[in-house]
Amino acid sequence: TGSTSSCQRGSMAMAALLSRFCSSRSAAAALLRGRGGLSASPSLRCSTEEQRYLSSGLVGLPGEGGWQSPPSPTSLDKVVKLETFAGQTKEYIAKTWLKFHEDEREGRVGWVLSRSEFKQLQQNAQESPIFVVPLEKPEGYVTLVLQWQMQHPQSKLGLITTLEEFQKDSLSANSHFTLTHYTELARKDLVLVRGDVASAKLINAFEARMLTKRVYEHYLDPEKYARWVKTFNHASRQFDFKAYIKELGFLA
């Protein structure tokens, strides 16, 4: 179908983009300094399995053994009783949502966006659907790859895997951290976000909060988006990875 071929082309384009970025000598040298260093440019094809997934219209995540269900329900009424929020202010709902996700032992984090922020996020995610997000570690840093799936009417997801896994095969790379967006309360100027950690050894709950903050800062701050995210997606050879991580504050 037309929608299937469009999704396939988008997937291929994202892999080619990351390949072009990683083929840059300066970018490769910078990436090699982290644990998520460059080993080879990714080679991506649309497998028969992915074609079946894309044509089915199902919601899912890539992972070992094929396409998996998202870690959290994609419908808010499967997470909370919506009547609990009936008649409540957006401030109350936001506070309750964040409080509900405070327990780091659950491996989840909560976030809140306004309706205008989410609209901007959708626009930017469509324009620039992939980005590299370094995460500090005691021994250095690990380079993560963020990919947005925001076009499906029943799910709005941000998927994060490692650069190494993405390079090996982006179609089977596990999402180690998934951001699920709930738009049911947009009329109250609220979009609720849940971040699920799938690999606690790679990303703990504290790091997940920092990672979530970093993702939204770079997609919602106009200056950061234009300088880093848009450049990465549309002028990848001009993307200065060393300057990027230096601005993040963990490269001398």
Side-chain angles (χ1 to χ4, degrees):
T1 65
S3 60
T4 298
S5 60
S6 174
C7 289
Q8 292 173 346
R9 287 196 301 271
S11 183
M12 295 288 286
M14 284 187 285
L17 169 65
L18 193 58
S19 178
R20 287 198 304 272
F21 164 67
C22 289
S23 67
S24 164
R25 183 174 301 176
S26 60
L31 285 169
L32 281 167
R33 295 190 180 96
R35 286 180 55 222
L38 177 66
S39 58
S41 295
S43 174
L44 179 66
R45 69 185 188 282
C46 288
S47 64
T48 302
E49 180 181 21
E50 186 200 23
Q51 292 176 25
R52 287 199 301 269
Y53 162 76
L54 292 170
S55 61
S56 73
L58 298 173
V59 176
L61 308 176
E64 293 182 5
W67 290 87
Q68 309 294 321
S69 298
S72 281
T74 56
S75 178
L76 185 60
D77 62 2
K78 299 294 192 299
V79 180
V80 298
K81 294 181 179 180
L82 290 179
E83 57 266 28
T84 304
F85 292 149
Q88 300 292 348
T89 65
K90 67 177 184 179
E91 291 79 12
Y92 173 86
I93 297 172
K95 183 179 180 179
T96 301
W97 181 258
L98 296 177
K99 183 72 174 178
F100 180 67
H101 292 89
E102 276 186 355
D103 190 349
E104 295 186 349
R105 294 172 297 179
E106 296 294 328
R108 295 187 177 124
V109 299
W111 206 261
V112 176
L113 300 174
S114 68
R115 181 167 52 185
S116 62
E117 286 175 331
F118 182 70
K119 182 179 180 181
Q120 189 63 56
L121 175 66
Q122 284 187 298
Q123 293 175 354
N124 290 347
Q126 181 175 2
E127 182 180 53
S128 304
I130 194 168
F131 193 49
V132 286
V133 188
L135 179 65
E136 301 94 320
K137 292 290 182 178
E139 63 273 30
Y141 62 90
V142 58
T143 304
L144 303 174
V145 177
L146 164 70
Q147 182 177 337
W148 295 104
Q149 290 184 3
M150 300 288 275
Q151 299 306 308
H152 198 284
Q154 296 178 353
S155 70
K156 311 295 180 186
L157 304 173
L159 313 177
I160 293 179
T161 189
T162 65
L163 176 62
E164 181 181 5
E165 289 179 89
F166 190 94
Q167 287 178 275
K168 288 180 179 178
D169 187 351
S170 66
L171 300 181
S172 63
N174 289 301
S175 179
H176 297 289
F177 183 56
T178 303
L179 293 167
T180 305
H181 300 77
Y182 300 100
T183 60
E184 287 89 336
L185 299 176
R187 66 185 184 281
K188 291 181 176 286
D189 196 28
L190 277 179
V191 173
L192 304 179
V193 184
R194 169 180 278 186
D196 286 279
V197 175
S199 306
K201 290 184 179 180
L202 176 66
I203 305 170
N204 62 39
F206 174 80
E207 293 169 334
R209 293 183 190 280
M210 182 169 55
L211 192 60
T212 301
K213 182 175 184 290
R214 185 164 294 162
V215 165
Y216 292 125
E217 279 182 347
H218 281 81
Y219 270 84
L220 294 177
D221 181 278
E223 183 177 347
K224 290 183 179 180
Y225 174 75
R227 183 179 181 186
W228 302 118
V229 181
K230 192 170 183 179
T231 299
F232 180 84
N233 280 264
H234 300 279
S236 57
R237 297 189 187 281
Q238 299 175 26
F239 183 82
D240 188 336
F241 187 79
K242 285 186 65 177
Y244 168 49
I245 60 175
K246 186 175 182 179
E247 182 175 275
L248 293 177
F250 58 95
L251 181 69

